[in-house]
Amino acid sequence: MASKILVIGGTGAQGMPIIQALVQDKKYSCRVLTRDVASARAKYLASLGNVELVEGTFANEHDLRRAYHGCDGAFVNIDGFNCGEKAEIFWAIRCYELAIEAGVVFYVYANLDYAYKKSGYNPLFRAGHYDGKGRVAEFILAQNSSNKDNNDNKNGNNNKNNNNDNNGKMNTNTLSSSGSTNSAGTMGVAAFTTGPYIEMTIGANTPMTPSIEEGDDDGNSAIVTWRVPLGDGAVPHVALDDCGYYVRWLFDHPERAHGMDLEVAIEHIRYADLARAFEKVTGHPARYVDVSLEEYWDSGPMAGSASRGTGYNADPEDAATMSIKDNFTGFWNMWKYSGGNVGVIQRDYALLDEIFPSRIKSAEEWFRREDELGRKSGKGSLWERVQKGNLKPVMKLVEDRLSGRL
């Protein structure tokens, strides 16, 4: 019988390819907690087979207990842009605790870099939607750093799901059906740390949405242009399809994945290189223009939302709610000071090559693949897809806003 994995955040940009990868060979089945089982994304997931939809929200303990019941594993990606940083920390911890309560065997937490801590608590790098996840990942991994005495006898627990040996290492057994009480020392855990999706570089309403600008003195009539405050820094972009492989690997190898923070990326991509790669693949001119933060917030792709709170359900009057401007200023600073994989945010690319030898390794490789896939699917060439009016949402939040659902 297939091991059942609860997925929270399954209809999001990252959740979709992860579920596809988990159910593709029927080794796993997925239960997806979603606020709207009738949405187009939810219906698509159900069409994959081996996917069960459960209506509810991560911000409700009754819904979480119902969703966890009978599940062997969990992949949890809390939408911080829904609830805001403060509520995300609370509900992410409760998601973890309730998974233990439900007897889940292996738990994967979708994470982002704790840049504030990685920078030595420098306020330049404070980005709430990153730090909120990063704090919780550290908490979860710390709870499982060793096979602690879970006081089963004292608490009267009959722990049949102890998946660790006496050295605190995961057994190599396949995930098995749950139904007993777990403890922090017996549930296997891993963090899955991503970064900005490379799809966002050609997506609508993202922090790095490009524009088509007038030609130059060389006779170019239109130039794809990224105007962002990156300097000579680099963004460790992630390909969404690769996320599916990595998370499937974590569930397939719990004995190695237990306690791991798997930090992934394509490479640290400088935007001058991004523009050159786009130009090489499409044959059309592209450029990167470094701008100041002031110019970015005055006329950049997020200028219109600068004063909004980060989290559409967060209280804008709460001192804990960061503005979009403050939040994404820290976001851009962390990449500006991460060039060459030697700055604030780093990745172990040798490890990623070992885990996923055929992973996407460059912006050019990803652009080339997207151009080919777009032509085959009828979406158009990469050049056609970045024209004004043709950019598509990547994030579910943007899709919901554009469709009037938010």
Side-chain angles (χ1 to χ4, degrees):
M1 186 168 125
S3 295
K4 183 176 289 187
I5 297 174
L6 172 65
V7 179
I8 296 176
T11 59
Q14 188 180 136
M16 302 279 283
I18 286 171
I19 292 171
Q20 291 170 340
L22 287 171
V23 304
Q24 62 185 355
D25 59 0
K26 310 307 179 187
K27 178 179 177 181
Y28 301 99
S29 66
C30 287
R31 177 181 291 161
V32 180
L33 182 66
T34 176
R35 287 168 289 170
D36 184 4
V37 296
S39 71
R41 290 186 177 218
K43 288 180 177 178
Y44 168 75
L45 291 174
S47 74
L48 296 175
N50 260 21
V51 176
E52 172 193 2
L53 302 177
V54 176
E55 194 160 76
T57 171
F58 64 80
N60 182 294
E61 293 194 7
H62 172 75
D63 290 347
L64 289 171
R65 285 192 171 95
R66 181 165 49 92
Y68 276 128
H69 180 72
C71 288
D72 310 290
F75 174 81
V76 176
N77 188 4
I78 300 293
D79 181 4
F81 291 113
N82 171 332
C83 57
E85 180 184 5
K86 185 165 73 171
E88 177 177 12
I89 293 169
F90 174 81
W91 284 112
I93 290 175
R94 286 302 287 140
C95 283
Y96 163 76
E97 292 172 337
L98 291 170
I100 297 173
E101 178 184 303
V104 168
V105 179
F106 197 76
Y107 186 95
V108 178
Y109 175 70
N111 187 35
L112 292 169
D113 290 277
Y114 192 176
Y116 183 46
K117 180 177 180 180
K118 288 183 175 183
S119 69
Y121 299 99
N122 187 326
L124 285 175
F125 305 99
R126 176 85 172 88
H129 77 291
Y130 270 66
D131 296 335
K133 279 185 164 54
R135 291 188 194 96
V136 175
E138 291 207 348
F139 167 80
I140 289 173
L141 294 174
Q143 303 308 299
N144 288 266
S145 60
S146 64
N147 189 13
K148 301 177 180 66
D149 177 8
N150 57 35
N151 293 317
D152 280 349
N153 293 330
K154 178 180 177 181
N155 295 324
N157 294 335
N158 179 21
N159 192 342
K160 297 177 182 178
N161 266 343
N162 190 332
N163 205 43
N164 295 64
D165 62 24
N166 291 330
N167 294 317
K169 297 178 181 178
M170 291 288 293
N171 291 331
T172 58
N173 298 333
T174 302
L175 296 178
S176 59
S177 181
S178 61
S180 62
T181 303
N182 246 340
S183 75
T186 62
M187 182 174 74
V189 298
F192 176 59
T193 301
T194 59
Y197 310 134
I198 194 169
E199 288 82 358
M200 294 163 67
T201 66
I202 58 167
N205 297 85
T206 79
M208 60 279 297
T209 293
S211 57
I212 302 293
E213 301 188 359
E214 293 184 3
D216 55 22
D217 294 337
D218 295 329
N220 296 310
S221 58
I223 306 172
V224 176
T225 305
W226 287 273
R227 292 182 177 271
V228 294
L230 184 59
D232 197 37
V235 181
H237 277 296
V238 176
L240 282 170
D241 284 346
D242 282 1
C243 289
Y245 181 96
Y246 287 123
V247 171
R248 172 64 187 257
W249 182 90
L250 290 169
F251 281 106
D252 281 348
H253 301 86
E255 73 290 340
R256 183 177 178 190
H258 178 49
M260 174 183 284
D261 182 358
L262 181 60
E263 300 178 326
V264 305
I266 295 172
E267 65 172 341
H268 277 59
I269 300 173
R270 297 173 62 250
Y271 268 38
D273 296 333
L274 181 83
R276 278 192 289 269
F278 185 93
E279 194 168 281
K280 185 175 181 180
V281 170
T282 66
H284 292 277
R287 65 186 174 190
Y288 155 59
V289 179
D290 180 38
V291 299
S292 67
L293 282 164
E294 289 76 14
E295 182 178 344
Y296 179 81
W297 289 114
D298 181 62
S299 59
M302 303 187 76
S305 59
S307 61
R308 292 180 189 166
T310 305
Y312 57 84
N313 282 325
D315 180 1
E317 300 303 318
D318 188 335
T321 301
M322 295 185 76
S323 69
I324 292 287
K325 180 178 180 179
D326 289 343
N327 183 84
F328 281 93
T329 292
F331 171 91
W332 281 113
N333 280 336
M334 76 173 84
W335 312 131
K336 187 172 185 176
Y337 292 93
S338 295
N341 197 24
V342 294
V344 176
I345 306 300
Q346 301 180 24
R347 295 291 185 261
D348 183 349
Y349 290 109
L351 173 64
L352 299 183
D353 288 340
E354 176 198 340
I355 290 173
F356 190 7
S358 60
R359 69 182 184 85
I360 296 170
K361 297 182 175 71
S362 70
E364 181 182 337
E365 182 182 351
W366 186 82
F367 278 142
R368 200 168 296 284
R369 189 197 67 168
E370 280 300 296
D371 187 63
E372 181 179 347
L373 290 175
R375 292 173 188 270
K376 287 181 178 178
S377 67
K379 294 179 181 178
S381 69
L382 198 57
W383 172 251
E384 292 168 329
R385 288 164 63 187
V386 300
Q387 302 304 306
K388 187 175 182 180
N390 289 350
L391 294 169
K392 302 298 181 185
V394 176
M395 310 300 286
K396 184 176 182 295
L397 168 63
V398 175
E399 184 179 297
D400 287 346
R401 278 182 173 158
L402 292 176
S403 66
R405 291 194 291 270
L406 280 182

